[in-house]
Amino acid sequence: MRLVALIIAGALLSPAAASAQMAPAAPAPTPQQCGAIDVELPPELVGWTAKSPLAAAKVAADLPKASLTPGKAFLATLPSTPDVTYLVQPEKPGGSVSHGGLFDLTVQSAGTYVIALGTGAWIDVLKDGAPMMSGSHGRGPNCTTLRKMVTFDLKPGAYVVQISANGPAELPIMVAKRP
Amino acid sequence: MNRLLVLMAGLCALAVFTLALSPAFDWRLPPGVAPPPVPADNPMSEAKVALGRRLFYDADLSIDGTMSCATCHEQRHAFTDTNATRPGVHNDPGRRNIMALTNVGYFGPLTWADPRVTRLEDQILIPIAGEKPVEMGFAKQEHLLTARLGANACYQRMFASAFPEAKGEVSMATIGKALATFQRTLLSFDAPYDQHKRGEAVAVSDETWRGETLFFGRRAGCASCHAGPSFTDAATGPPDKAFHRIDLPFSGDQGLGEITGRNADKARFRTPGLRNVGVSEPYLHDGSAKTLSQAIRRHRAAIGLGDAQVADLVAFLGTLTDQRFISDKRFSLPPTRCG
């Protein structure tokens, strides 16, 4: 069963051109369809169910207080979009009633990293102030609260993760290195 | 009877369009290319285009601020996206593949299966406030959208400039008119195909011109439906003549038959335009064809074609990609927020 779920997740996480990442958010599973939620998770995202609180930064100066740690899940609180000063204009800026924010991300080892969200928000990863190309995008496996998964090939160093066009003020988010 | 009603609706729609051009508006079209028809009650203006562009990219046009028109209509994909279908803001499943907007101002029928929707001003309100399916989520709550935009000083100025005759009113009607005006400027006539037709040197392979011969010839018969400058009979004929069934009836979606109730119309869908088709995958009304080859193979007319001939057709269709159109800053996300 776990293998089937992982195969489905792999199939959905398909290669994507350029920075395209508008994979539609998967419909929320209903209890009737799933025996249990968030049981069959991709191996790198097993920590998805244990989320720590984290406040997103509104401006670059606050980034040191909003660090994403690879392998650890967070339930982030996001400010209102008009209160966020993005370093680079997001390709999909949210409206005035949406939420967004900035996060610091430091990577120690090179590899493919997946950024997983519990919503369908837009993700930009910036290196030295410029947006990076995403590698693949897709939905999370069925019967999980993973709504969106986007990969980026990252080298050791510091990055900024920009989140835009998130509906609610809360965002489940996790960064993890692919095995 | 239904066919008669459809025809009457089409004639009525045509009647409200002016064939005369908007003389003061610069369409920036190549010589010899006529601009799209413009409704008499919504003449072109630069102020309206600017407002429409801003609205097109503003996610405040969705109830929770997460989705703008451009969320699904991405410029680099000729104003469609790479998903088969896309759910709305409340996760209602999308019903059909997002249609590209290249040269949409020339089209009669504007949707995959409803010949009654022939005005951009009307079509635009379907994703914003429609319920089947819910997309941007303002159904029965349109007042929230007009209040939201009306409270923004930047939009107050832009609506006043675009609609002086309505005293800058922010209404669903003026929102629709501005978006329609912007979309009429999404004109693409500078692909290698056009350049070749103008006598300019274009470096393409031999298979491209074999594909062109095949495309316009009787054997493949592509041009019988993908006709005219935009490669669709949706831009050349009466609204009800642009719907075709290309292969066996689909099991679920009844297409035009859903509107007319006629068995003969089941699984008929509007001919999509082919300009920029090389960057607008996936294809067909349900997005089920991931490549152009797959889409071509789904046509009954392609049964007798060999792989090399399909490849020739794909090569020809590649000459319809207008790089200027998919990167033109006039059509892109405005660099600053409104307000």
Side-chain angles (χ1 to χ4, degrees):
Chain A
M1 180 63 180
R2 183 180 182 83
L3 179 63
V4 170
L6 291 176
I7 290 172
I8 293 170
L12 291 171
L13 197 58
S14 57
S19 60
Q21 55 163 293
M22 287 313 292
T30 62
Q32 291 80 10
Q33 295 170 318
C34 300
I37 300 295
D38 285 343
V39 174
E40 306 289 343
L41 293 163
E44 69 272 24
L45 296 173
V46 289
W48 176 251
T49 54
K51 299 182 184 69
S52 301
L54 180 67
K58 296 180 181 177
V59 296
D62 294 337
L63 279 168
K65 293 180 285 187
S67 292
L68 296 170
T69 306
K72 190 174 177 184
F74 296 92
L75 182 58
T77 53
L78 305 178
S80 178
T81 293
D83 294 334
V84 180
T85 302
Y86 287 105
L87 279 65
V88 174
Q89 183 187 33
E91 185 174 329
K92 309 283 181 179
S96 63
V97 297
S98 70
H99 296 82
L102 312 174
F103 297 95
D104 169 73
L105 172 65
T106 299
V107 168
Q108 302 294 345
S109 60
T112 298
Y113 287 78
V114 59
I115 299 180
L117 303 182
T119 71
W122 183 260
I123 304 166
D124 282 308
V125 175
L126 309 182
K127 178 61 177 171
D128 300 326
M132 297 186 64
M133 295 291 201
S134 59
S136 62
H137 64 112
R139 309 171 184 182
N142 290 334
C143 300
T144 72
T145 53
L146 294 163
R147 295 284 173 267
K148 183 170 186 174
M149 296 162 63
V150 183
T151 66
F152 293 86
D153 291 331
L154 304 180
K155 296 175 180 173
Y159 299 84
V160 175
V161 177
Q162 293 192 153
I163 298 294
S164 58
N166 196 65
E170 287 190 334
L171 173 70
I173 183 171
M174 181 173 180
V175 181
K177 187 180 180 184
R178 278 280 168 83
Chain B
M1 181 62 178
N2 281 322
R3 184 166 290 262
L4 181 62
L5 287 173
V6 167
L7 278 172
M8 290 174 64
L11 289 171
C12 290
L14 282 173
V16 299
F17 278 80
T18 56
L19 293 178
L21 314 182
S22 299
F25 188 77
D26 180 7
W27 290 93
R28 304 189 195 187
L29 282 164
V33 178
V38 175
D41 65 348
N42 190 24
M44 299 295 291
S45 75
E46 293 293 349
K48 238 183 280 183
V49 173
L51 173 59
R53 175 188 172 198
R54 191 163 283 286
L55 291 170
F56 187 86
Y57 283 97
D58 194 337
D60 267 345
L61 266 68
S62 60
I63 191 81
D64 63 354
T66 61
M67 182 186 286
S68 68
C69 304
T71 297
C72 301
H73 296 285
E74 298 178 311
Q75 183 180 9
R76 65 173 172 271
H77 297 295
F79 295 96
T80 179
D81 70 5
T82 56
N83 300 305
T85 61
R86 196 184 194 289
V89 292
H90 301 316
N91 267 333
D92 294 42
R95 189 149 184 236
R96 292 176 179 139
N97 189 234
I98 306 295
M99 300 192 94
L101 300 180
T102 305
N103 294 351
V104 69
Y106 293 96
F107 295 179
L110 294 166
T111 70
W112 277 112
D114 192 341
R116 301 168 301 184
V117 184
T118 58
R119 280 172 52 97
L120 281 168
E121 288 81 354
D122 301 330
Q123 185 279 326
I124 284 157
L125 303 181
I126 295 173
I128 295 175
E131 294 183 281
K132 295 179 180 177
V134 171
E135 295 179 79
M136 300 167 89
F138 276 110
K140 300 183 177 66
Q141 301 180 86
E142 291 91 335
H143 63 285
L144 296 179
L145 173 57
T146 54
R148 185 184 293 174
L149 299 181
N152 181 317
C154 168
Y155 274 126
Q156 289 170 10
R157 289 191 299 273
M158 294 192 78
F159 275 84
S161 177
F163 297 103
E165 75 284 0
K167 297 182 170 56
E169 179 190 35
V170 181
S171 66
M172 296 306 288
T174 52
I175 291 169
K177 285 182 174 181
L179 283 165
T181 302
F182 170 64
Q183 290 187 66
R184 289 194 177 96
T185 69
L186 301 178
L187 301 170
S188 173
F189 292 101
D190 199 22
Y193 170 80
D194 303 297
Q195 294 161 5
H196 176 71
K197 291 292 181 189
R198 294 198 296 262
E200 299 170 22
V202 176
V204 292
S205 63
D206 290 344
E207 65 180 356
T208 297
W209 305 127
R210 289 199 303 268
E212 182 189 33
T213 301
L214 199 55
F215 185 92
F216 289 104
R218 295 182 65 178
R219 180 166 183 196
C222 310
S224 62
C225 299
H226 294 287
S230 292
F231 295 85
T232 170
D233 49 9
T236 59
D240 69 324
K241 299 296 185 188
F243 296 80
H244 309 278
R245 182 168 55 234
I246 62 170
D247 64 0
L248 296 174
F250 298 99
S251 57
D253 195 332
Q254 298 301 301
L256 180 62
E258 185 178 286
I259 302 299
T260 66
R262 289 162 46 94
N263 277 334
D265 288 338
K266 286 183 177 177
R268 289 186 188 272
F269 295 94
R270 201 210 73 187
T271 311
L274 295 184
R275 285 189 173 272
N276 300 301
V277 71
V279 295
S280 62
E281 73 282 4
Y283 307 105
L284 306 183
H285 74 281
D286 55 359
S288 58
K290 293 181 179 177
T291 66
L292 276 173
S293 296
Q294 289 177 10
I296 292 169
R297 286 289 186 204
R298 293 278 292 275
H299 292 65
R300 274 173 295 183
I303 289 174
L305 300 181
D307 290 344
Q309 291 170 311
V310 171
D312 289 347
L313 284 171
V314 171
F316 169 65
L317 294 174
T319 69
L320 303 180
T321 300
D322 180 348
Q323 293 294 337
R324 185 200 57 79
F325 176 75
I326 61 176
S327 61
D328 193 326
K329 295 292 185 189
R330 292 178 299 143
F331 309 145
S332 65
L333 171 68
T336 58
R337 296 182 63 86
C338 195

